[in-house]
Amino acid sequence: MTFHELSLFFDRIEKTPSRLTMTEILAELFTVTNAQEIDKVLYLLQGSVVPLYKKADFGMAEKLLTKAFISGLQIDKKQFDQVYQKNGDLGTTIEELRGSITVIGESDLSIEEVFEKLYKLTQVTGTGSQDIKASIIIELAQSLDALSCRFIARIPTNTLRLGFSDMTILDAFSWMLTGGKTLRKQIEEVYQVNPDLGLLGKTIKEKGIEGLSKIGPVLFTPIIMMKAERLASVEKIMEKVERGIIEPKYDGFRLQIHHNKHDTKLYSRGLDDVTHMYPDIVAGIEKEVTAKEIILEGEAIGYDIQTGGFLPFQETVQRKRKYNISEKVVEIPLRLFAFDILYLNGQNLIHKPHIERRLLLNSTIKVSGDVAVDTILISPLQKMENSHQIEIEFEDAISKGLEGIMIKRDDGPYQPGARGFNWIKYKRSYSSKIDDTIDCLVMGYDFGKGKRSGFGIGAILVGVYDVKTDKFVTVAKIGTGLTDDEWRLMFKKSQVLKSSAKPALYDCDDLMNPDVWVKPEIVLEIRADELTRSSIHTAGRLLKRTKSGGGFEVDVPGYALRFPRLEAIREDKRPTDATSLTEVEEMYVAQKK
Ligand code: ATP
């Protein structure tokens, strides 16, 4: 297939406001794509040349890319600035300018040829690399047609966001095979273990749905992490768990570690490779882990050498940084409490009961057990006995400055990506009526009034994730509780994510439409006093036909956050990691009790 043909699909996807139509277009695209090119098509659809967890670094700022286009197309800089000012977007600017000129030697490059060139952008480094990159862009600008150039301009600048989630792609795989979504669940189970969409697409093309069943955990491909359900009382925990263990809940950050004798990599909740940030953990793993090949998980937390205690989250989080890493290693040393093992020496362990996995974990790490000496420790556990003991363990954890406890069922498998009662979190309850914070996606913002007009942003529309429909539904507009710096940061972050139309994954009442739509990317941790019912928010809202039959009216109102305020920006969460609508419903029920 030519890159131009692919661009026609990109254009159709970009223009459709309907998620269902998007699924159909994607399925059509996958049908006409052959097995050799489908993985490349899938990476390009995501604006990349590698699976998303690998993060393609094109190393091309907008300025360099623009310069290359201007020189390749021999456009006047003034003319460029004029069109750019009118369009406000680099892709359509390049498209318009490319369309107005004829280039001798224009050819139809194949997807593979374009992919190779884009891939090369991520590979060249060092002196002279900027010139090589510019020449690649010049070549593409001269070879490809105007529409293709729109997308070529967006990929290296990380601004190609066609507006679908990975779930839409999984639906489209099913659609291609059956004309419906019947295989989605089966495909999704494999995706949670191996979220390389290119690999999944290629396997389906080559071997059909049966081929997928052979895909299991692969070293250095992060597994989507299992999540815990929250429960607010010991009685409820006892109802859900017959036999289980209690572990401290450390308030740090989660890491999934992949290790063999050649390499060690650390992945965050959002599947980012964060190895370079934590050299002390890498050294600890290389020293203390005895297994040849292993995937394990744990929580990293800052350790206070003076007191022998653990640091609060606000201090631990300072270790998440790109610069001055070695300084911080000394200032805030980390300890990793390993709590699960998913893969060992070629063996997939995710289906094994928790109790067996824990025994295996113990046998793969050589620890002295002294927190002052070891970097890697095994999370201590207690057999769960009765409700009184759960309370004691909980109080004990709190008194040590921890967040609470985790209860894990003995017979529970590791369920990638799922939130279930095999893991339960029991946290300190807060003074507010909601026991926990809610992670919301930024869907848009309003221009500010008064003082905030200076920041360009005055209220942020946020929503939660409805897993069933793969849509984001609104729960609040946040207008207070951010510091001036946070407003500025939110404005800055939103600028590259602006969307001229409502993204297809958003479900929002017209009354709530923000001044500016923001594409799905930023997740905020929000605290609120209470969940209330509201007819203007779409989370959990049901509509019915009006009596006249001409329109719709609210049948069941949605959920809204009362007095929402920002706790943190959750860089480690992907949009679909936002709190789910089901969780909001459960929190609402729990709060009423
Ligand atoms: P969630 O992970 O449920 O989406 P979250 O990121 O806000 O939400 P929490 O509500 O704090 O996290 O609870 C789950 C997290 O607790 C895990 O992702 C992990 O990072 C952390 N954690 C701390 N101690 C443990 C432990 N012993 N076992 C499992 N997870 C633990």
Side-chain angles (χ1 to χ4, degrees):
M1 196 194 293
T2 65
F3 190 80
H4 172 69
E5 286 166 319
L6 180 62
S7 298
L8 290 171
F9 277 101
F10 281 8
D11 185 46
R12 281 169 64 197
I13 294 168
E14 195 173 56
K15 284 197 179 121
T16 177
S18 147
R19 187 189 175 281
L20 191 63
T21 315
M22 219 177 238
T23 310
E24 286 170 347
I25 301 171
L26 285 165
E28 187 189 327
L29 168 62
F30 300 155
T31 308
V32 297
T33 309
N34 67 38
Q36 272 67 52
E37 51 194 19
I38 191 154
D39 48 350
K40 299 174 185 73
V41 166
L42 280 154
Y43 302 141
L44 290 171
L45 275 166
Q46 298 179 293
S48 186
V49 286
V50 285
L52 277 193
Y53 56 83
K54 284 198 178 153
K55 288 258 171 347
D57 183 6
F58 292 100
M60 268 208 119
E62 189 171 311
K63 227 174 171 178
L64 176 67
L65 185 111
T66 307
K67 234 169 109 186
F69 266 109
I70 288 181
S71 123
L73 301 177
Q74 294 179 350
I75 324 164
D76 180 43
K77 173 79 169 67
K78 263 203 203 122
Q79 191 193 356
F80 174 88
D81 290 342
Q82 268 170 7
V83 182
Y84 189 69
Q85 211 159 36
K86 175 178 69 114
N87 293 356
D89 161 66
L90 185 66
T92 47
T93 302
I94 303 281
E95 177 182 12
E96 190 175 325
L97 292 166
R98 177 67 183 82
S100 64
I101 54 169
T102 321
V103 179
I104 300 165
E106 179 176 321
S107 65
D108 239 357
L109 295 180
S110 70
I111 292 174
E112 280 176 299
E113 284 168 314
V114 174
F115 184 89
E116 235 168 68
K117 291 191 196 312
L118 291 174
Y119 188 75
K120 197 165 168 203
L121 289 179
T122 67
Q123 299 298 302
V124 284
T125 48
T127 34
S129 62
Q130 298 294 38
D131 292 341
I132 301 174
K133 287 180 191 200
S135 70
I136 293 174
I137 295 295
I138 292 173
E139 217 185 312
L140 286 169
Q142 293 178 345
S143 312
L144 293 168
D145 63 292
L147 179 68
S148 303
C149 283
R150 184 204 302 170
F151 300 111
I152 289 297
R154 286 182 184 163
I155 293 173
T157 48
N158 296 319
T159 50
L160 180 86
R161 285 187 176 81
L162 294 171
F164 48 75
S165 69
D166 286 6
M167 296 305 137
T168 320
I169 301 259
L170 304 186
D171 275 345
F173 284 153
S174 169
W175 208 278
M176 164 179 73
L177 295 167
T178 65
K181 295 185 189 173
T182 45
L183 292 176
R184 150 77 187 270
K185 201 164 166 276
Q186 199 180 334
I187 299 171
E188 190 183 330
E189 268 171 30
V190 183
Y191 163 85
Q192 305 283 7
V193 181
N194 194 321
D196 179 346
L197 287 173
L199 174 77
L200 300 193
K202 204 175 180 63
T203 308
I204 292 175
K205 271 296 219 193
E206 280 173 353
K207 303 184 185 134
I209 190 75
E210 296 75 31
L212 284 189
S213 59
K214 308 238 159 41
I215 297 182
V218 171
L219 217 50
F220 307 114
T221 298
I223 297 169
I224 300 191
M225 298 185 203
M226 178 169 169
K227 296 175 249 187
E229 271 287 354
R230 53 173 80 65
L231 281 179
S233 79
V234 171
E235 292 67 41
K236 286 204 197 104
I237 296 172
M238 296 290 292
E239 271 167 37
K240 291 278 180 200
V241 183
E242 205 181 316
R243 255 189 290 276
I245 57 107
I246 307 171
E247 280 182 350
K249 184 175 191 308
Y250 300 98
D251 195 9
F253 51 88
R254 183 144 167 203
L255 290 176
Q256 190 178 90
I257 294 153
H258 292 228
H259 165 81
N260 65 12
K261 60 178 193 277
H262 307 292
D263 204 1
T264 302
K265 282 200 186 300
L266 315 178
Y267 298 96
S268 71
R269 268 287 308 265
L271 309 188
D272 289 326
D273 180 346
V274 291
T275 313
H276 62 287
M277 289 189 197
Y278 311 115
D280 43 346
I281 302 270
V282 173
I285 292 285
E286 287 172 356
K287 187 163 152 239
E288 296 174 45
V289 171
T290 54
K292 278 197 209 108
E293 288 187 321
I294 191 168
I295 302 178
L296 61 91
E297 274 187 17
E299 186 87 352
I301 185 166
Y303 175 65
D304 187 335
I305 302 172
Q306 245 82 59
T307 66
F310 301 109
L311 298 173
F313 181 72
Q314 289 75 1
E315 286 183 49
T316 298
V317 82
Q318 291 182 38
R319 284 295 310 269
K320 286 192 192 177
R321 53 173 52 231
K322 290 193 181 126
Y323 309 104
N324 300 337
I325 290 171
S326 44
E327 249 167 59
K328 283 284 169 191
V329 168
V330 179
E331 202 183 309
I332 308 174
L334 291 174
R335 295 292 179 263
L336 181 99
F337 284 92
F339 54 68
D340 216 322
I341 177 168
L342 318 185
Y343 176 89
L344 180 65
N345 303 334
Q347 206 193 349
N348 174 5
L349 303 178
I350 62 174
H351 304 296
K352 295 235 180 277
H354 179 252
I355 198 87
E356 274 185 44
R357 299 202 306 278
R358 278 301 301 241
L359 286 173
L360 283 169
L361 180 69
N362 292 350
S363 68
T364 53
I365 305 181
K366 199 176 58 205
V367 289
S368 72
D370 182 354
V371 69
V373 178
D374 298 333
T375 305
I376 314 298
L377 296 128
I378 293 180
S379 166
L381 58 79
Q382 299 289 326
K383 189 166 173 284
M384 189 185 107
E385 309 273 1
N386 52 47
S387 54
H388 181 61
Q389 177 228 10
I390 300 179
E391 289 293 9
I392 291 174
E393 290 299 331
F394 176 73
E395 290 306 328
D396 185 48
I398 298 293
S399 69
K400 287 186 185 136
L402 302 174
E403 226 192 347
I405 51 174
M406 300 286 296
I407 290 98
K408 298 179 181 175
R409 279 175 65 127
D410 281 352
D411 58 357
Y414 184 95
Q415 296 167 291
R419 189 185 297 281
F421 288 101
N422 284 330
W423 282 13
I424 296 167
K425 50 189 178 190
Y426 183 45
K427 294 206 234 180
R428 186 182 5 205
S429 55
Y430 306 95
S431 53
S432 64
K433 284 199 189 170
I434 308 179
D435 267 359
D436 209 342
T437 52
I438 295 178
D439 296 323
C440 296
L441 180 79
V442 173
M443 298 168 70
Y445 67 85
D446 289 337
F447 301 126
K449 287 192 199 85
K451 180 184 168 210
R452 284 201 296 274
S453 61
F455 303 134
I457 178 169
I460 305 168
L461 176 70
V462 296
V464 294
Y465 181 50
D466 183 354
V467 181
K468 284 192 204 103
T469 58
D470 186 24
K471 286 219 165 194
F472 292 93
V473 283
T474 68
V475 286
K477 249 187 196 171
I478 305 171
T480 53
L482 277 80
T483 61
D484 289 2
D485 281 347
E486 283 169 341
W487 281 117
R488 280 189 207 102
L489 181 66
M490 287 310 300
F491 180 73
K492 192 166 157 233
K493 278 185 169 289
S494 308
Q495 292 321 288
V496 277
L497 299 165
K498 279 198 283 189
S499 167
S500 51
K502 178 164 88 175
L505 293 180
Y506 292 178
D507 185 4
C508 178
D509 191 293
D510 286 348
L511 288 172
M512 271 288 136
N513 281 354
D515 292 333
V516 179
W517 291 107
V518 174
K519 294 175 190 174
E521 174 92 19
I522 312 166
V523 177
L524 302 181
E525 187 173 341
I526 308 285
R527 183 172 299 288
D529 277 4
E530 205 181 344
L531 277 163
T532 55
R533 309 264 3 191
S534 146
S535 57
I536 49 169
H537 280 295
T538 50
R541 186 177 80 170
L542 296 177
L543 299 176
K544 64 174 180 198
R545 281 212 173 272
T546 50
K547 288 216 173 72
S548 64
F552 289 94
E553 62 187 9
V554 174
D555 188 13
V556 179
Y559 296 99
L561 302 181
R562 198 167 121 91
F563 299 133
R565 52 212 182 263
L566 178 72
E567 282 264 313
I569 300 177
R570 292 293 301 252
E571 308 267 7
D572 60 333
K573 290 212 168 186
R574 302 192 299 170
T576 47
D577 288 331
T579 300
S580 70
L581 175 59
T582 319
E583 287 176 81
V584 170
E585 281 163 350
E586 285 164 4
M587 284 173 161
Y588 183 74
V589 173
Q591 156 196 293
K592 272 180 39 180
K593 285 183 186 156

